[in-house]
Amino acid sequence: MFTGQWQTGGGEPIPITEPATGESLGTAGSATPEDVNRSATAAAAAQKQWAAMKPSERATVLRRAGTLFEEHAQEIETWIVREIGGVATKAALETHIAAAECFEAAALCTAPAGEVLSTDQPRWSFARRRPAGVVSVISPFNFPLILSIRSVAPALALGNAVLLKPDPRTTVSGGVSIARVFEEAGLPAGVLHLLPGGGEVGKALTEAEEVRIICFTGSTAAGRLVGETAGRLLKRAHLELGGNNALVILPGADLDKAASAGAFGSFLHQGQICMTTGRHLVHESLKDEYIAKLSEKAKNLPVGNPAEEGTAIGPIIDAGQRDRIHSIVEDAAAKGGTVEAGGEFTDLFYSPTVISGITAVNPAWTEEIFGPVAPVISFSTIEEAVEIINSSQYGLSVGVLGDVGLAMQVADQVNSGKVHINEQTVGDEANAPFGGVGDSGTGSRVGGASANIESFTETQWLTMRSEIAPYPF
């Protein structure tokens, strides 16, 4: 753990294991709830001095951090490949976006800090943005660097201190790498704390008295608990949760390109992405040909150790998640579905899988599988497609492939935080608002100046008169 200096922490050491080989990569220290409480107190004290620094000085730290992510990209990417089983291109995407997040955040330091309000009174009236104080960031394993830094960087830039808890399975990629970068970038000691651990540490990060904002990325079930606790304690919770995202293939779409987009959306990082394409919704005139092309893609994607060149599909994060994926696939087949490709595994390597012949109530269609599984059903009209998309409790991302006019009709009617026309469902940019609706979370809470300023600051009303106001008392 890191509190301004590196410590072992009071918790049990966390084993770091390579999913592809089972090899031990070392151990990491872990925090206890008592460590969290001490860090929260220290962070609150350090935050005041950090917020009082010149905006240009804070911006310099953020820009330096972005440069360090670029300079040390290869080292960090090696950890992403080995610690979580991401292929090289996925690892490179993480370091690229991490740098971009820091550069974007640097601009927040000198962004307008409020607005001048009109008033009937003989005074000046302002609404100004002030740092919230201490922010807790709890991030998952699947894109550990991106899903940590996208909250850490803007929170710091806007004058807050941060307590960071990555998933214990990705302590290095999602935590140590960030703490080391900001340490070298010149962030004052005590402003960023790395507190690895399990659920008890996450609970303490939510409940600590000094914490005003909790940024949680993870499952919907865990997010509900975080939100309930935050509500009881009158804290703000920004929740980015699960997804079961639909890719719509409209009549007349180019099926070769559509199958490529569908394969990328479902199989990138073994489907372990909140934005993964979990539902393929194909016009009835194209269904059979699309299934055939998508299945051919699935059968020919190289599966293996992501550290080896040419690998497209790496391992599932652990055996528990692999077994859950396989049980959903087997259940789909037992209920009348046809496994067109895949449906098999060796160790933690699950083959890319395509399932047809299921209904819209099959768990393979309704649940977030978080694995390389592509269920396909058909639709006949745009109205039917929209109804099927909106029948999900999730609302994170939708992709629509084909005629732009028809795609716009779909976009205007679906309940989703993101809609991508002629792109698949997975996409992220540092300056774009990110979030979902329904069981996918509490809306766009990061990405771009507006969302970040709204998420990591408080609004203060400030008035000013030229002299003391007269009162009738």
Side-chain angles (χ1 to χ4, degrees):
M1 56 181 274
F2 179 73
T3 62
Q5 59 183 5
W6 293 95
Q7 305 174 32
T8 57
E12 293 295 320
I14 298 172
I16 303 172
T17 303
E18 184 175 24
T21 65
E23 179 183 343
S24 173
L25 302 177
T27 59
S30 68
T32 64
E34 292 73 25
D35 291 326
V36 171
N37 291 331
R38 283 190 291 269
S39 280
T41 300
Q47 183 269 330
K48 293 179 175 60
Q49 294 179 326
W50 170 243
M53 288 176 61
K54 295 176 182 179
S56 60
E57 293 174 338
R58 294 202 307 274
T60 297
V61 173
L62 270 298
R63 285 195 297 270
R64 178 61 177 150
T67 300
L68 287 167
F69 275 119
E70 292 179 332
E71 292 176 352
H72 295 275
Q74 185 174 1
E75 178 185 0
I76 297 170
E77 287 163 17
T78 298
W79 273 103
I80 292 171
V81 169
R82 299 197 67 188
E83 189 179 32
I84 67 170
V87 298
T89 52
K90 185 262 191 189
L93 175 66
E94 290 220 48
T95 56
H96 171 75
I97 291 183
E101 290 284 357
C102 291
F103 294 138
E104 285 288 330
L108 293 174
C109 299
T110 52
E115 56 187 339
V116 180
L117 307 176
S118 60
T119 175
D120 287 340
Q121 301 297 318
R123 64 188 178 197
W124 289 350
S125 182
F126 306 91
R128 64 174 182 167
R129 290 289 186 167
R130 307 284 287 167
V134 180
V135 175
S136 287
V137 177
I138 303 172
S139 60
F141 74 86
N142 54 330
F143 270 74
L145 180 54
I146 291 176
L147 298 182
S148 293
I149 196 65
R150 70 178 184 181
S151 294
V152 170
L156 290 174
L158 291 164
N160 300 287
V162 173
L163 309 179
L164 169 62
K165 190 197 89 65
D167 188 293
R169 293 168 289 187
T170 51
T171 298
V172 177
S173 303
V176 173
S177 63
I178 293 173
R180 279 290 297 119
V181 161
F182 276 102
E183 181 184 27
E184 191 170 336
L187 184 71
V191 177
L192 173 63
H193 294 245
L194 171 63
L195 300 159
E200 73 286 352
V201 174
K203 184 174 183 289
L205 283 166
T206 303
E207 295 180 343
E209 182 179 354
E210 295 86 352
V211 170
R212 299 309 310 150
I213 293 174
I214 304 103
C215 294
F216 174 86
T217 303
S219 71
T220 297
R224 289 187 193 279
L225 296 176
V226 172
E228 289 170 2
T229 301
R232 174 171 54 83
L233 298 175
L234 302 181
K235 303 171 187 254
R236 277 196 283 163
H238 304 313
L239 307 175
E240 201 278 285
L241 309 176
N244 190 12
N245 312 287
L247 181 67
V248 183
I249 292 84
L250 296 170
D254 183 320
L255 284 185
D256 287 328
K257 291 181 177 179
S260 177
F264 185 91
S266 281
F267 305 140
L268 175 66
H269 193 45
Q270 300 77 263
Q272 299 173 120
I273 310 172
C274 60
M275 296 175 286
T276 288
T277 300
R279 297 182 291 163
H280 294 246
L281 192 52
V282 188
H283 189 262
E284 57 189 6
S285 63
L286 306 175
K287 182 187 71 171
D288 292 341
E289 190 176 356
Y290 179 78
I291 290 172
K293 289 181 178 293
L294 183 63
S295 299
E296 189 67 17
K297 293 278 186 186
K299 293 172 184 176
N300 287 285
L301 287 170
V303 180
N305 188 335
E308 297 175 359
E309 188 175 351
T311 299
I313 307 295
I316 301 301
I317 189 65
D318 58 31
Q321 177 60 19
R322 178 206 62 199
D323 293 344
R324 180 180 178 276
I325 294 166
H326 194 56
S327 69
I328 293 174
V329 172
E330 288 188 315
D331 184 57
K335 292 178 178 176
T338 300
V339 177
E340 304 280 354
E344 302 171 337
F345 66 86
T346 301
D347 298 325
L348 293 181
F349 299 97
Y350 204 93
S351 56
T353 299
V354 179
I355 303 175
S356 67
I358 62 172
T359 66
V361 297
N362 192 295
W365 184 262
T366 60
E367 293 189 22
E368 181 184 30
I369 301 175
F370 228 63
V373 181
V376 184
I377 68 173
S378 64
F379 69 94
S380 58
T381 66
I382 295 298
E383 293 74 20
E384 182 186 6
V386 169
E387 182 179 355
I388 293 172
I389 294 169
N390 288 342
S391 66
S392 174
Q393 69 268 37
Y394 297 105
L396 184 57
S397 185
V398 170
V400 190
L401 308 180
D403 178 78
V404 174
L406 289 177
M408 290 173 65
Q409 293 180 39
V410 175
D412 285 344
Q413 298 178 68
V414 295
N415 302 322
S416 179
K418 292 172 284 298
V419 179
H420 302 293
I421 293 176
N422 284 323
E423 295 183 282
Q424 45 74 46
T425 56
V426 180
D428 192 13
E429 292 185 32
N431 65 334
F434 188 102
V437 298
D439 282 5
S440 291
T442 52
S444 297
R445 60 171 184 79
V446 292
S450 296
N452 284 325
I453 292 171
E454 177 65 31
S455 291
F456 298 113
T457 63
E458 301 284 4
T459 302
Q460 182 185 73
W461 183 34
L462 173 67
T463 65
M464 185 186 307
R465 288 177 179 257
S466 59
E467 58 185 31
I468 297 175
Y471 295 98
F473 290 177

